[in-house]
Amino acid sequence: YSGENDAKGYAAGLDLKLFGELVPGAESWISFSVMTAKEKMLNDRFNRGWISGPNESRYGFSMLFQDYIPRLPQYKVHLRFIWQDGLPFSSPRSEQTRSAFRMSPYRRIDIGASRIFSAKKDKWMRKSKHVQQWLIGIEVFNIVGFKNVNSYFWVSAYDGTQWASPNYLTGRMFNLRLAVDFK
């Protein structure tokens, strides 16, 4: 970052999302994105031309499938999948190699189950004057345990050589969810 208006740049992309219900009352969708973001320094002494911008994630794909138990639609399960291109990065001390590398792709698979309690279906909920329904759910994020990189910690040797050591995001994680709908 130079703090001066000495660069040109552009970003262009497309985001597509298809919604649907594989079974009535259960939301599902598929999403696909493409993007390019380039920049060029006007007085570039290294003559690099157009380089990737720091936010350029070239592609992304995600999907969610939701289903429920037949005859018991208040019990739902879902499966979510995310795959996205890694972001560009470079050594913080080298202006010449800016955006020279790219992080590994971000990948994640989540699975979850939930139970909805409503005044319409559950007798014990009919006494409540303020709560219309509530949901309790459990989810397992990153069930496969992909090691996704968040950033890099740079280690320097005495001769100026640098190595990138990855900082990883949290692996598998469990989530308990409670949602309440008031009247």
Side-chain angles (χ1 to χ4, degrees), residues 44-122:
D44 186 5
R45 66 178 190 255
F46 302 109
N47 201 20
R48 292 172 294 188
W50 291 95
I51 60 173
S52 295
N55 62 343
E56 183 186 56
S57 179
R58 297 176 292 195
Y59 63 87
F61 176 77
S62 60
M63 62 183 168
L64 171 80
F65 294 111
Q66 194 175 66
D67 200 357
Y68 55 81
I69 299 173
R71 296 191 196 112
L72 297 170
Q74 64 270 28
Y75 291 95
K76 291 188 177 184
V77 293
H78 71 269
L79 180 66
R80 180 175 35 237
F81 175 75
I82 301 167
W83 187 300
Q84 186 170 342
D85 189 25
L87 296 174
F89 74 98
S90 61
S91 166
R93 292 191 188 163
S94 177
E95 184 182 333
Q96 183 176 358
T97 62
R98 183 149 179 261
S99 299
F101 309 105
R102 193 166 286 274
M103 291 183 190
S104 58
Y106 177 85
R107 301 164 298 168
R108 193 171 103 188
I109 299 173
D110 306 333
I111 191 166
S114 62
R115 165 68 157 97
I116 298 172
F117 298 93
S118 74
K120 293 178 184 177
K121 304 257 183 185
D122 298 291

Side-chain angles (χ1 to χ4, degrees), residues 119-131:
K120 293 178 184 177
K121 304 257 183 185
D122 298 291
K123 291 179 184 178
W124 62 274
M125 287 281 298
R126 292 184 185 137
K127 295 177 185 177
S128 175
K129 295 178 183 177
H130 304 293
V131 177

Side-chain angles (χ1 to χ4, degrees), residues 135-160:
L135 172 140
I136 187 163
I138 186 158
E139 294 175 295
V140 182
F141 297 135
N142 196 9
I143 194 166
V144 178
F146 290 119
K147 293 183 81 174
N148 291 306
V149 176
N150 180 42
S151 62
Y152 288 90
F153 177 74
W154 289 88
V155 180
S156 298
Y158 69 92
D159 64 352

